[in-house]
Coordinates of all heavy atoms in Angstrom, one line a residue:
Chain A
V34 N 63.8 351.7 -100.9 CA 62.9 351.1 -99.9 C 61.6 350.7 -100.5 O 61.0 349.7 -100.3 CB 62.7 352.1 -98.7 CG1 61.6 351.6 -97.7 CG2 64.0 352.3 -98.0
V36 N 61.0 350.7 -104.0 CA 61.2 349.9 -105.2 C 62.6 349.2 -105.2 O 63.5 349.7 -105.7 CB 61.1 350.8 -106.5 CG1 60.9 349.9 -107.7 CG2 60.0 351.8 -106.3
F140 N 87.2 307.2 -145.1 CA 86.6 308.5 -144.8 C 85.2 308.4 -144.3 O 84.8 309.1 -143.3 CB 86.7 309.4 -146.1 CG 86.2 310.9 -145.9 CD1 87.2 311.9 -145.6 CD2 84.9 311.2 -145.9 CE1 86.8 313.2 -145.4 CE2 84.5 312.5 -145.6 CZ 85.4 313.5 -145.4
G153 N 81.4 323.6 -144.5 CA 82.2 324.5 -145.4 C 82.3 323.9 -146.8 O 81.7 322.8 -147.0
P201 N 100.5 338.7 -159.8 CA 101.7 338.8 -158.9 C 101.2 338.7 -157.5 O 100.3 339.4 -157.1 CB 102.3 340.1 -159.3 CG 101.6 340.6 -160.5 CD 100.3 339.9 -160.6
D212 N 96.5 331.7 -136.8 CA 96.8 331.8 -135.4 C 96.7 330.4 -134.8 O 95.7 330.0 -134.2 CB 95.8 332.8 -134.8 CG 95.8 332.8 -133.3 OD1 96.7 332.2 -132.7 OD2 94.8 333.3 -132.7
F279 N 104.0 335.3 -130.6 CA 104.3 335.3 -132.1 C 105.4 336.4 -132.4 O 106.3 336.1 -133.2 CB 103.1 335.6 -132.9 CG 102.3 334.3 -133.2 CD1 101.0 334.2 -132.7 CD2 102.8 333.4 -134.1 CE1 100.3 333.0 -133.0 CE2 102.0 332.2 -134.4 CZ 100.8 332.1 -133.8
G368 N 77.0 347.1 -131.9 CA 78.0 347.3 -130.9 C 79.4 347.3 -131.5 O 80.2 348.1 -131.2
G373 N 84.2 350.6 -133.3 CA 85.1 350.9 -134.4 C 85.7 349.7 -135.1 O 86.9 349.7 -135.4
P416 N 81.6 357.3 -130.6 CA 80.6 358.1 -129.9 C 80.5 357.8 -128.4 O 80.0 358.6 -127.7 CB 79.3 357.8 -130.6 CG 79.5 356.5 -131.3 CD 81.0 356.4 -131.6
K489 N 56.5 327.4 -133.6 CA 55.5 327.4 -134.6 C 56.1 327.6 -136.0 O 55.6 327.1 -137.0 CB 54.5 328.6 -134.3 CG 53.6 328.4 -133.1 CD 52.7 329.5 -132.8 CE 52.2 329.5 -131.4 NZ 53.1 330.1 -130.5
I490 N 57.2 328.4 -136.0 CA 57.8 328.6 -137.3 C 59.1 327.8 -137.4 O 59.9 327.9 -136.5 CB 58.1 330.1 -137.5 CG1 57.0 331.0 -136.9 CG2 58.4 330.5 -138.9 CD1 57.5 332.4 -136.6

Side-chain angles (χ1 to χ4, degrees):
Chain A
V34 171
V36 195
F140 186 94
D212 168 14
F279 273 113
K489 292 180 199 80
I490 320 163

